[in-house]
Amino acid sequence: MGDNKMINIYDIAKMSGVSIATVSRVVNNNPKVSEKTKAKVMEAIEKSGYTPNVFAQGLGLKSMRTIGILVPSIADLYMSRAVAYIEDNLHDAGYDCILHCSGYTAAEKETHIQLLLNKKIDAIILVGSTYAGSDDETHNTDYIRRAAKDVPVFIINGLVDGDNIYCTASNDYQASYDVTTALIENGCNKILFLTDSRSYSANQKKEGYKQALSNAGLKSEDKMMIYTENSIPVVKNLLNNLKDIEFDSVFATDDAMAVGAIKYALLKGLNVPEDISIVGYNNSTLCICSEPELSSVDNKIEKVCKDTCSRLIDILKGEENVPNQSVVACSLVKRATTDF
Amino acid sequence: MGDNKMINIYDIAKMSGVSIATVSRVVNNNPKVSEKTKAKVMEAIEKSGYTPNVFAQGLGLKSMRTIGILVPSIADLYMSRAVAYIEDNLHDAGYDCILHCSGYTAAEKETHIQLLLNKKIDAIILVGSTYAGSDDETHNTDYIRRAAKDVPVFIINGLVDGDNIYCTASNDYQASYDVTTALIENGCNKILFLTDSRSYSANQKKEGYKQALSNAGLKSEDKMMIYTENSIPVVKNLLNNLKDIEFDSVFATDDAMAVGAIKYALLKGLNVPEDISIVGYNNSTLCICSEPELSSVDNKIEKVCKDTCSRLIDILKGEENVPNQSVVACSLVKRATTDF
């Protein structure tokens, strides 16, 4: 954003007495704006010296046509696939991608968003629901709303309210509810829930699990919801060392944890799925690598990324009525670790 | 490179009658250059209007401190891990990364390198030995030498000769030779070699395999070296449908192919490693996901990336005597699919 960082689209809207949508239309040369309104907005822009990059192109200024992508870790299977889809879609539309890997702490996220805002970027895409809040600290997404004053912010797999924020999430609540219900209908009533995250989507999955138990008249117990690492050996050892907890099935919020449960079953001589049903999440390559092959929720990452990029391109073109939030349905891919 | 694209460091060197190393030293304010030489070079630079970004900082001009990273596919396990390490190292040194995913064809690679050169980047890192040539077309790496006239080019896992080109490769020839020799010493003499690539490193692996057979007095046969897809189900089906080819072991140049061989063994009721030994490559998460767990070559991707970034940072600081090529030794990680 450079030299005029203090002035943003909200200031221009206020100064010219119009909505931010109207400012956006003016700077994108949208013909639907009256000449009178256009003149008012242009006057405010000229007075302020406002040259935010996102609208620079419409003003005949030079846009770098560059999108900042922030992921906590590009080595993660889900995120590297997401970035592959995003990069593909954006390049087709003539945009470059600056990639930052932020890590998972609040401080790291804020620092990296600021680093991106200091570049001449047209928009930011936050990949991973970790950006949409966490229940182990105050669920604070104000840093996203602050960034959205400078450029449009797109969130992949999390819903955050705010102007200039656009979110696409897979329906993890429903998917988790459906998997848990299917396990119950197949005779499981001691379903161990494993998660490696306290992100927005992890919470959605946990809520879906709890609601399904509740609807089936079962109690959800804290000891059955275990927070661990998304690692095959860690989960294998964890289950092997569990004391005083019986379980007849495992539902994990990422595939590597579910494979850890398969390894545990093999170690204990348990038959999968006869003795223990196991369901993973993300439908990654691990599912067809493990033995038996893993049933897993396909959270439609390709569609989520495509929707995100298509809305981003619309926004940067100055299109109106671009929806702020959209939710994509998931589906269970049935393999050999479940009877359903 | 912008407006002065026609003028490069070679032109400046020629115009001022000095080596490119000397030009580099001058623009980086290296004190070892005599005032007389410095004056000559600066005169040539001023005449030419030469402002290549890589040396811009040394001239007091503004560098974007941005590195272009090119990968064929960021969804690939090896490449996403490499980019994670690179991004981490470069950010620590204050550089940003622009990521392009090029695909695998020669035309795509050249197009994307040109797109990167059009940006204000300080250097390019090519991730993956596909950039270092292929034996299914003319082994042409001229496009890399052309790019290296504009900015330093770093290649991860491939050796290409040329000024301003810096390569780090894992010693795939030696690793492949060692694995093949170990298989032979353990009684295998019909070793199926599977590869999904005709890249520089794939060729190194093939040569290591052939040399080990030859040194053991065994013939290497074309029918035993199969080019296929790096896909678990594809390899499983391929092996199941092989006619007139007997094999007692499989050595694959990427882990997914090796897991396909494990799936084939399970399908046929073969015991691994008693009836068939299997070795993969890259030591990815797939190795500890499969059952039995997969022995695989660790090609030291973290070290390769660290070495690359450290030389890149040295070059951009104007350090002298930065080696153009370095080779990192691999090691076999022994798991349950081999007896050794």
Side-chain angles (χ1 to χ4, degrees), chain A residues 101-122:
Chain A
C101 305
S102 69
Y104 289 88
T105 72
E108 288 170 327
K109 291 174 198 169
E110 295 205 34
T111 302
H112 278 275
I113 285 197
Q114 199 50 56
L115 288 172
L116 280 173
L117 290 176
N118 292 342
K119 309 280 154 193
K120 288 213 163 229
I121 53 162
D122 298 291

Side-chain angles (χ1 to χ4, degrees), chain B residues 143-202:
Chain B
Y143 73 107
I144 297 178
R145 280 176 285 272
R146 281 196 298 275
K149 292 190 178 183
D150 287 344
V151 293
V153 177
F154 295 80
I155 300 176
I156 282 189
N157 212 17
L159 300 181
V160 171
D161 288 321
D163 283 331
N164 220 16
I165 300 175
Y166 301 88
C167 303
T168 314
S170 47
N171 198 340
D172 295 319
Y173 173 88
Q174 189 65 44
S176 180
Y177 179 92
D178 291 346
V179 165
T180 307
T181 301
L183 286 168
I184 295 167
E185 285 172 354
N186 273 266
C188 300
N189 55 27
K190 295 180 196 117
I191 308 167
L192 199 61
F193 179 85
L194 299 180
T195 186
D196 67 328
S197 169
R198 296 190 171 93
S199 70
Y200 175 88
S201 84

Side-chain angles (χ1 to χ4, degrees), chain A residues 189-252:
Chain A
N189 55 27
K190 297 181 194 116
I191 308 169
L192 199 61
F193 179 84
L194 300 179
T195 185
D196 66 328
S197 169
R198 296 190 171 93
S199 70
Y200 175 89
S201 85
N203 289 336
Q204 291 291 305
K205 291 167 190 168
K206 194 195 268 187
E207 291 309 313
Y209 162 83
K210 286 162 76 172
Q211 190 60 50
L213 289 179
S214 166
N215 282 13
L218 297 169
K219 227 171 68 180
S220 59
E221 296 178 273
D222 283 347
K223 68 172 184 182
M224 298 298 280
M225 293 175 269
I226 299 180
Y227 180 81
T228 181
E229 202 180 316
N230 189 29
S231 150
I232 297 170
V234 167
V235 168
K236 177 185 171 183
N237 290 334
L238 169 81
L239 299 186
N240 196 36
N241 294 323
L242 270 190
K243 286 185 178 41
D244 310 322
I245 299 184
E246 281 181 38
F247 53 96
D248 53 23
S249 49
V250 173
F251 178 30

Side-chain angles (χ1 to χ4, degrees), chain B residues 5-29:
Chain B
K5 200 156 180 340
M6 303 306 294
I7 304 288
N8 60 46
I9 192 168
Y10 297 90
D11 301 313
I12 301 297
K14 209 172 161 187
M15 285 166 70
S16 47
V18 302
S19 70
I20 59 163
T22 302
V23 177
S24 170
R25 272 172 228 137
V26 170
V27 295
N28 284 290
N29 290 326

Side-chain angles (χ1 to χ4, degrees), chain A residues 34-86:
Chain A
S34 73
E35 284 304 315
K36 195 178 149 192
T37 304
K38 195 174 168 182
K40 266 199 300 190
V41 173
M42 287 308 288
E43 197 191 324
I45 287 173
E46 276 156 30
K47 270 191 196 158
S48 73
Y50 169 66
T51 55
N53 193 59
V54 54
F55 301 120
Q57 236 183 343
L59 284 165
L61 302 174
K62 205 179 166 192
S63 156
M64 297 294 282
R65 292 188 75 80
T66 300
I67 310 299
I69 300 180
L70 199 59
V71 287
S73 162
I74 190 68
D76 178 272
L77 288 177
Y78 174 85
M79 290 163 202
S80 64
R81 281 169 68 202
V83 172
Y85 290 127
I86 292 167

Side-chain angles (χ1 to χ4, degrees), chain B residues 90-340:
Chain B
L90 293 183
H91 265 299
D92 284 350
Y95 289 95
D96 268 319
C97 300
I98 290 191
L99 177 73
H100 275 225
C101 305
S102 69
Y104 289 88
T105 71
E108 288 170 328
K109 291 174 199 169
E110 295 205 34
T111 301
H112 278 276
I113 284 197
Q114 198 51 55
L115 287 171
L116 281 173
L117 290 176
N118 292 343
K119 310 279 154 193
K120 287 213 163 230
I121 52 163
D122 299 291
I124 291 180
I125 303 179
L126 306 176
V127 182
S129 67
T130 181
Y131 295 108
S134 166
D135 71 7
D136 59 348
E137 51 190 74
T138 312
H139 186 97
N140 194 335
T141 51
D142 285 346
Y143 73 107
I144 297 178
R145 280 176 285 272
R146 281 196 298 275
K149 292 190 178 183
D150 287 344
V151 293
V153 177
F154 295 80
I155 300 176
I156 282 189
N157 212 17
L159 300 181
V160 171
D161 288 321
D163 283 331
N164 220 16
I165 300 175
Y166 301 88
C167 303
T168 314
S170 47
N171 198 340
D172 295 319
Y173 173 88
Q174 189 65 44
S176 180
Y177 179 92
D178 291 346
V179 165
T180 307
T181 301
L183 286 168
I184 295 167
E185 285 172 354
N186 273 266
C188 300
N189 55 27
K190 295 180 196 117
I191 308 167
L192 199 61
F193 179 85
L194 299 180
T195 186
D196 67 328
S197 169
R198 296 190 171 93
S199 70
Y200 175 88
S201 84
N203 288 336
Q204 292 291 303
K205 292 167 190 168
K206 194 195 268 187
E207 291 308 314
Y209 162 82
K210 286 161 78 172
Q211 190 61 49
L213 289 179
S214 166
N215 282 14
L218 297 169
K219 226 171 68 182
S220 59
E221 296 178 273
D222 283 347
K223 68 172 185 183
M224 297 298 281
M225 292 175 270
I226 299 180
Y227 180 80
T228 181
E229 202 180 315
N230 189 29
S231 150
I232 297 169
V234 166
V235 168
K236 177 185 172 184
N237 291 333
L238 169 81
L239 299 186
N240 196 36
N241 293 322
L242 270 190
K243 286 185 179 41
D244 309 322
I245 299 183
E246 282 180 37
F247 53 95
D248 54 22
S249 50
V250 173
F251 178 30
T253 63
D254 205 331
D255 288 329
M257 288 180 283
V259 173
I262 294 176
K263 296 284 177 182
Y264 158 80
L266 293 174
L267 177 73
K268 300 296 260 187
L270 299 172
N271 292 317
V272 183
E274 296 80 359
D275 302 328
I276 180 171
S277 296
I278 300 171
V279 181
Y281 217 102
N282 285 353
N283 197 34
S284 67
T285 313
L286 299 185
C287 301
I288 58 165
C289 178
S290 72
E291 193 63 39
E293 295 184 9
L294 179 64
S295 299
S296 181
V297 174
D298 178 357
N299 48 5
K300 309 290 183 189
I301 180 173
E302 183 171 3
K303 179 162 172 47
V304 167
C305 292
K306 209 175 161 183
D307 281 8
T308 299
C309 292
S310 127
R311 284 196 286 160
L312 182 150
I313 291 160
D314 284 348
I315 290 288
L316 294 184
K317 273 188 198 156
E319 304 260 334
E320 299 170 55
N321 303 323
V322 176
N324 278 80
Q325 303 199 339
S326 79
V327 173
V328 173
C330 303
S331 67
L332 179 68
V333 179
K334 297 166 188 181
R335 296 196 183 87
T337 57
T338 50
D339 271 324
F340 50 86

